[in-house]
Amino acid sequence: QAVAKRFNSACVRFLRLSLFGALKATSQLQSRIETGSFAAFHRVLLQDSTSLALPRRLAAIFPGSGNQHHAKTATLKIQTLYDALGEQFIDFLLTPFTRNDQSASRDMLAQLRPGDLVLRDLGYFVLGVFAEIAQRGAYFLSRYQHGTTLTRQDGQSFNLLKELRRHNTLDVDLRLGSKAKLPVRVVAIPVPKHVAEARRRHLRHNRNRKVNPSAEHLALLDWEIFITNVTPEIWTTSAVAAVYGIRWRIEIMFKAWKRHFKLPRFTD
């Protein structure tokens, strides 16, 4: 009882400040702020999700992925929107595992404001959503989805691999999508050889049988490739990759929820 009484509002504030202080130290956010990387933006929004296995009796409400025995499973997906500069969550949405991130890509538009910067991984890659972010006077930064058509400003096709082998580093304005023709800045930076080889091993051994990487796809893993509508006047080529690394801040939070706060512990 004595310990329980100490968990008052002041204790909660202390734990909150301690948690976010630790996250700030590990995410390198403060160093990016000091360089002025976020000076042009009102908020830096990180959209991501994490999944939690639930008791099987909840499978009708939160259906999970099927297993090899075709048994019903229950999995909860937590969709989050986090403002890294304000250090606060803006939105939560609880959905079944069967609603993937691409389907949730548009969810953040309800919270979007002019001047916001949105950072997301490839799971949320939807051209129409990128276009709407830009139309609303906001900004996006994402990794490039392999196979998405790239063309020059004059409509001529752009061979990404050929250009990368010629120049090694790339920073060029192109059009994205065969129909959307979305104006984007494409930035590509080479990665260390051991990182590229690890990526290729992972892709070749992907458990999804639909994934059958082409020789071109495997070759492009030698680079980190991004798309953004942030101009070179705001970010240099090297700053693009450094800023995208801030996205891991939300992954650290998910890890803390699961490992330290024991969030996945449910009884069947």
Side-chain angles (χ1 to χ4, degrees):
Q1 290 178 341
V3 173
K5 289 179 180 179
R6 291 183 180 273
F7 282 95
N8 52 30
S9 59
C11 180
V12 172
R13 287 195 299 272
F14 170 76
L15 291 174
R16 182 180 183 277
L17 291 172
S18 298
L19 173 61
F20 284 112
L23 290 169
K24 184 178 291 186
T26 55
S27 70
Q28 299 180 339
L29 177 62
Q30 190 60 41
S31 63
R32 297 314 312 173
I33 292 175
E34 291 171 356
T35 64
S37 296
F38 300 126
F41 313 107
H42 296 159
R43 299 184 298 177
V44 178
L45 304 183
L46 312 181
Q47 185 181 16
D48 209 342
S49 67
T50 188
S51 299
L52 300 174
L54 298 177
R56 283 175 292 178
R57 64 177 180 272
L58 297 175
I61 304 173
F62 294 103
S65 60
N67 60 28
Q68 59 183 348
H69 303 295
H70 303 288
K72 290 184 177 180
T73 62
T75 305
L76 167 70
K77 179 167 281 193
I78 307 175
Q79 291 286 349
T80 66
L81 188 64
Y82 178 73
D83 176 13
L85 294 184
E87 296 188 338
Q88 60 181 337
F89 283 97
I90 295 173
D91 197 21
F92 285 97
L93 184 63
L94 306 183
T95 71
F97 179 80
T98 48
R99 185 175 188 255
N100 61 26
D101 291 343
Q102 192 170 59
S103 299
S105 183
R106 301 189 64 87
D107 293 349
M108 50 74 56
L109 293 174
Q111 307 293 338
L112 190 68
R113 301 173 186 169
D116 286 345
L117 170 66
V118 180
L119 302 182
R120 308 186 295 181
D121 67 17
L122 277 176
Y124 297 90
F125 193 100
V126 178
L127 291 180
V129 176
F130 290 135
E132 192 156 350
I133 291 172
Q135 289 168 5
R136 295 191 185 189
Y139 301 87
F140 58 82
L141 173 60
S142 170
R143 289 170 57 203
Y144 165 73
Q145 177 70 59
H146 175 73
T148 309
T149 301
L150 288 171
T151 55
R152 300 182 186 275
Q153 302 296 332
D154 60 5
Q156 297 296 314
S157 62
F158 184 85
N159 189 316
L160 183 59
L161 181 58
K162 180 179 178 180
E163 294 298 325
L164 283 172
R165 284 175 170 170
R166 179 184 300 172
H167 302 290
N168 196 35
T169 299
L170 197 67
D171 192 336
V172 62
D173 290 331
L174 298 171
R175 301 279 178 168
L176 184 68
S178 58
K179 295 181 179 179
K181 303 294 184 183
L182 177 68
V184 294
R185 176 186 174 196
V186 178
V187 175
I189 300 172
V191 300
K193 185 176 180 180
H194 70 277
V195 172
E197 290 300 330
R199 289 176 171 182
R200 280 188 270 271
R201 285 195 300 272
H202 175 77
L203 192 58
R204 289 191 184 103
H205 294 90
N206 193 303
R207 290 182 296 176
N208 186 344
R209 294 181 180 180
K210 295 181 181 179
V211 176
N212 185 22
S214 64
E216 179 188 44
H217 191 178
L218 293 171
L220 284 171
L221 296 179
D222 282 330
W223 290 270
E224 197 75 77
I225 307 171
F226 304 98
I227 62 162
T228 185
N229 63 336
V230 179
T231 64
E233 289 75 23
I234 297 175
W235 288 342
T236 63
T237 301
S238 58
V240 172
V243 168
Y244 189 76
I246 301 302
R247 197 190 65 79
W248 284 100
R249 184 177 177 85
I250 195 71
E251 300 286 355
I252 297 170
M253 290 185 185
F254 292 158
K255 186 175 182 180
W257 290 357
K258 294 179 178 181
R259 178 173 295 182
H260 303 294
F261 299 160
K262 311 300 181 185
L263 191 61
R265 289 193 176 181
F266 296 97
T267 55
D268 205 345

